[in-house]
Amino acid sequence: MSGVLTSAGDLRRLVVRDLRRELRVLDSLIINIAMPVIIMVLFVYVFGGAITTGSSGLAYIEFVAPAVLLMSGGYGAALTAVNIADDMTGGMIDRFRTLPIGGWVVPAGHVVASVVRNVAACGFALAAAVILGYRPDATLAGWALVLGLVAAYVLAMSSLAVLWGLLVRSTQAAGAFSFVVLFLPYLSDGVVPAETMPGVLRDFAYNQPITPIVATLRALLLGEPVGSSGVVAVVWLAGVVLVSVPVAAVLFRRRTSA
């Protein structure tokens, strides 16, 4: 029991360390606060007048808001790859080796800090949407499910980011993961209706993980039935976490034992 409590204390300290580091770096702080707002304004005012929502019949802000939430949280989560790569290449891991802490606590600290930080970023995006006229009709239970789904998405992206950050050998290469995560929602039913896309892209959009996650968030926020998309979204997210976490643990042990 004492070992569990010690590891929990170490994890808490590393999470606080990661969050404080973000607060001290001005550009990271600006990205976490301003980028979700900028993305929301960009889509609503720049693209919103030119895009129809197809058979859904929704106003564009109602259609795109869930995708912007995922963009905001996912982009920040993807930057976890840079943080873990910086620790691996900048000498921080050598310092941690001299301390009586479990090796798994280091990547876990990055993941937990990412979830806290980027769920908050999604909150900024949602607040911007409300200011721009978005009026969600979610119930109290629906809001709880929205929070859980967004946190699960950030957790999945953060776990993948740690895995990528351990695979590459430089912070520059680690940063490439953020472009993938930011671009993926464009090829889903989140930004434009997938039914308007050409055949190959339409099939990809309907069968990639972002689409059921967006559909579930959209339904929850509008107070509508979720349907099968909720199960598909949970399966996708659980699968990503269950695969990426043990693989990242193996890679971390190999790199720190070399």
Side-chain angles (χ1 to χ4, degrees), residues 70 119 142-156 212-218 220 226 229-230 233-234 237:
L70 296 186
V119 168
W143 280 114
L145 291 173
V146 167
L147 178 61
L149 188 60
V150 169
Y153 178 75
V154 174
L155 172 63
I213 299 172
V214 166
T216 303
L217 284 175
R218 191 179 289 143
L220 290 171
V226 171
S229 65
V234 170
L237 293 174

Side-chain angles (χ1 to χ4, degrees), residues 167-180:
L167 281 172
V168 299
R169 298 289 175 170
S170 68
T171 55
Q172 291 80 6
F177 184 68
S178 61
F179 294 99
V180 176

Side-chain angles (χ1 to χ4, degrees), residues 229-240:
S229 65
V231 175
V232 177
V234 170
V235 170
W236 268 113
L237 293 174
V240 169

